[in-house]
């Protein structure tokens, strides 16, 4: 919807609406945290004694004992700030809060936001105080990336929730793939093996979406596709196109924005993006076919939509894996390794109260040696 100045409410009134927007960095698609916690309370096991460190543009809240890590995070924050600043051409008027938890389990207990946080959430940026809340990840590189990603959101909120611009711009006009894709593109860049896997697979499967499909069809994971789109736009028109396109989209929506800023209809831009991707990946696909070795044992036909972290028993007879087969949670199932037929559910977050979540992303199950 067009939010032209004459149609919006008086300056500043929207800014005070008691609605908190959240932008998350989600590590994997499909298993989104909130749904898994249906009917459960947020656990809180300990009280955190936070210290504050100030850098030129940030206030870093932490309770970490590791000075060198703290120093690294302070440096990364300022580096990201200056990198993002060149794109957004914007400054934070006050020091932006960064709240760091030492582990993901601690992060899940945060009381800075009320919503529940699942294993797949790598970080959160909330709109009211523009706070970035995140854990130290399992590697320094991942922590740095999540920080860079969330700080893009901090700049986005700084733009969209600024009383001077929000009369004209609305974040509601910007599709998620544009928001998250930008955060990925500006924190990873255009060369990314992970995104390349998705793109090659889409080309091979003849399932490359248009911009319209990206905005309306949830099958297309906004992070990877959005990053690919911005990488193409950056390569074609230069990164100086990012802000005009983002702002025009916030004003008029994607279709009108691409027409006005890039000079083509949405369908033409979609076709150009697809052709550029096909051209780029063609050389990697030559002589290859989509015929994986082996056979599918577990699929949505006999398990859930998401079936992950398989672990085979030492005698090769059984297979344990996580699946969201029973809708609300990710449970641990035991199956026949030959047929994939599920024998029983071994464990469930809902049934076993001492378990908050299965960390299927950074760890995998294993079998007892005597099994
Ligand atoms: Zn994000």
């Amino acid at each position: 919807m067009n939010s032209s100045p004459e149609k919006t409410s008086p300056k500043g009134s929207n800014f005070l609406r008691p609605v908190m927007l959240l932008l998350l960095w989600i590590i994997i698609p499909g298993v989104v945290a909130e749904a898994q916690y249906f009917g459960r309370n947020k656990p809180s096991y300990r009280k955190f004694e936070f210290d504050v460190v100030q850098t030129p543009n940030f206030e870093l809240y932490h309770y970490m004992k590791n000075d060198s890590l703290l120093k690294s995070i302070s440096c990364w924050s300022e580096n990201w700030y200056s990198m993002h600043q060149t794109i957004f051409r914007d400054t934070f008027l006050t020091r932006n809060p960064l709240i760091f938890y030492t582990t993901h389990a601690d992060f899940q207990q945060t009381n800075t936001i009320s919503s529940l946080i699942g294993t797949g959430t790598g970080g959160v940026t909330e709109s009211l105080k523009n706070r970035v809340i995140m854990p130290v990840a399992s590697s320094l590189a991942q922590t740095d990336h999540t920080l860079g990603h969330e700080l893009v959101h901090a700049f986005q909120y700084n733009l969209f929730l600024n009383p001077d611009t929000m009369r004209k711009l609305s974040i509601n006009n910007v599709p998620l793939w544009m928001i998250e894709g930008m955060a990925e593109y500006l924190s990873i860049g255009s060369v990314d093996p992970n995104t390349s896997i998705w793109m090659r697979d889409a080309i091979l499967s003849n399932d490359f979406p248009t911009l319209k499909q990206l905005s309306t069809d949830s099958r297309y994971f906004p992070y990877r596709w959005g990053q690919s789109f911005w990488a193409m736009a950056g390569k074609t028109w230069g990164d100086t196109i990012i802000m005009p396109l983002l702002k025009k989209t916030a004003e008029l929506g994607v279709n009108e924005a691409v027409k006005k800023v890039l000079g083509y209809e949405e369908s033409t831009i979609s076709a150009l993006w697809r052709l550029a991707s096909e051209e780029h990946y063609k050389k990697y696909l030559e002589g290859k076919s989509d015929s994986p070795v082996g056979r599918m044992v577990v699929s949505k036909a006999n398990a859930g939509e998401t079936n992950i972290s398989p672990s085979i028993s030492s005698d090769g007879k059984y297979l344990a894996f996580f699946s969201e087969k029973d809708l609300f949670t990710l449970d641990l199932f035991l199956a026949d390794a030959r047929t994939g037929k599920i024998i029983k559910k071994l464990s469930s977050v809902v049934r076993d109260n001492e378990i908050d979540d299965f960390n299927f992303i950074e760890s995998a199950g294993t079998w007892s040696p005597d099994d």
Side-chain angles (χ1 to χ4, degrees):
M1 194 176 79
N2 183 347
S3 62
S4 59
E6 64 275 16
K7 285 182 188 166
T8 50
S9 44
K11 184 177 177 180
S13 65
N14 280 344
F15 191 65
L16 298 175
R17 66 191 164 165
V19 176
M20 185 169 73
L21 302 170
L22 285 179
L23 288 169
L24 314 176
W25 181 61
I26 297 172
I27 299 166
I28 63 153
V31 188
V32 177
E34 276 74 7
Q36 294 174 35
Y37 282 92
F38 181 74
R40 307 187 81 215
N41 289 325
K42 194 172 190 171
S44 179
Y45 300 113
R46 57 174 284 203
K47 244 188 147 111
F48 302 101
E49 301 288 338
F50 281 94
D51 281 336
V52 189
V53 169
Q54 288 193 339
T55 66
N57 294 292
F58 296 98
E59 242 167 23
L60 204 163
Y61 294 79
H62 75 97
Y63 55 94
M64 57 186 95
K65 304 273 181 266
N66 184 337
D67 278 354
S68 65
L69 179 60
L70 188 60
K71 214 178 266 178
S72 296
I73 290 172
S74 306
C75 289
W76 295 337
S77 311
E78 289 298 328
N79 286 345
W80 285 122
Y81 184 88
S82 49
M83 283 174 73
H84 295 342
Q85 203 181 24
T86 60
I87 299 293
F88 283 85
R89 302 203 172 275
D90 198 3
T91 45
F92 295 165
L93 296 178
T94 55
R95 286 190 177 87
N96 207 71
L98 294 179
I99 302 167
F100 262 87
Y101 288 85
T102 307
T103 65
H104 199 279
D106 286 357
F107 167 58
Q108 286 179 276
Q109 298 169 50
T110 187
N111 57 10
T112 55
I113 52 166
S114 56
S115 32
L116 296 160
I117 295 172
T119 311
T121 303
V124 176
T125 304
E126 58 94 9
S127 61
L128 288 184
K129 296 176 182 169
N130 211 358
R131 296 185 293 195
V132 170
I133 306 131
M134 60 175 281
V136 174
S138 56
S139 71
L140 294 178
Q142 199 177 321
T143 309
D144 187 20
H145 163 227
T146 304
L147 181 61
H149 177 110
E150 294 302 331
L151 287 179
V152 171
H153 291 326
F155 272 94
Q156 288 168 339
Y157 280 140
N158 209 44
L159 168 71
F160 292 127
L161 302 181
N162 181 332
D164 291 335
T165 54
M166 69 181 303
R167 298 181 70 191
K168 200 174 173 193
L169 309 181
S170 168
I171 194 170
N172 295 331
N173 290 336
V174 188
L176 194 62
W177 62 264
M178 225 179 207
I179 295 281
E180 295 296 353
M182 180 184 294
E184 286 293 80
Y185 174 56
L186 296 179
S187 61
I188 297 173
S190 59
V191 179
D192 179 20
N194 186 21
T195 295
S196 295
I197 292 171
W198 288 67
M199 298 303 115
R200 287 203 307 269
D201 185 57
I203 291 165
L204 207 56
S205 319
N206 198 24
D207 187 17
F208 202 98
T210 61
L211 297 186
K212 196 175 168 193
Q213 284 174 305
L214 275 192
S215 304
T216 53
D217 189 338
S218 61
R219 283 186 305 127
Y220 300 106
F221 188 46
Y223 293 63
R224 302 278 67 81
W225 287 103
Q227 182 194 3
S228 169
F229 173 82
W230 282 114
M232 179 278 293
K235 277 248 157 65
T236 311
W237 292 280
D239 283 348
T240 48
I241 203 75
I242 294 175
M243 284 319 284
L245 187 54
L246 179 68
K247 284 182 177 173
K248 201 47 95 179
T249 304
E251 192 187 337
L252 304 173
V254 177
N255 283 4
E256 285 303 307
V258 292
K259 222 187 293 178
K260 286 205 156 51
V261 178
L262 306 180
Y264 297 100
E265 297 285 337
E266 176 272 323
S267 55
T268 310
I269 289 294
S270 294
L272 285 174
W273 176 32
R274 181 190 175 120
L275 283 173
S277 301
E278 283 174 352
E279 189 60 33
H280 177 73
Y281 290 110
K282 191 167 66 180
K283 54 184 177 287
Y284 302 109
L285 294 170
E286 266 164 25
K288 308 262 188 348
S289 63
D290 186 18
S291 51
V293 176
R295 63 193 171 81
M296 188 87 80
V297 176
V298 173
S299 68
K300 60 181 171 188
N302 58 359
E305 288 266 336
T306 305
N307 307 296
I308 46 179
S309 304
S311 179
I312 297 177
S313 64
S314 48
D315 61 7
K317 286 184 182 166
Y318 301 105
L319 177 72
F321 64 100
F322 292 120
S323 175
E324 46 54 89
K325 183 176 180 300
D326 291 348
L327 290 179
F328 290 121
T329 59
L330 200 79
D331 302 321
L332 182 63
F333 288 92
L334 179 73
D336 183 315
R338 199 172 48 83
T339 62
K341 189 172 187 302
I342 290 176
I343 298 165
K344 64 173 178 175
K345 190 193 285 187
L346 291 173
S347 186
S348 161
V349 170
V350 168
R351 205 180 54 193
D352 302 325
N353 284 334
E354 73 276 16
I355 301 171
D356 292 325
D357 221 339
F358 288 121
N359 190 345
F360 53 87
I361 294 170
E362 283 157 11
S363 66
T366 189
W367 292 75
S368 165
D370 53 9
D371 272 329

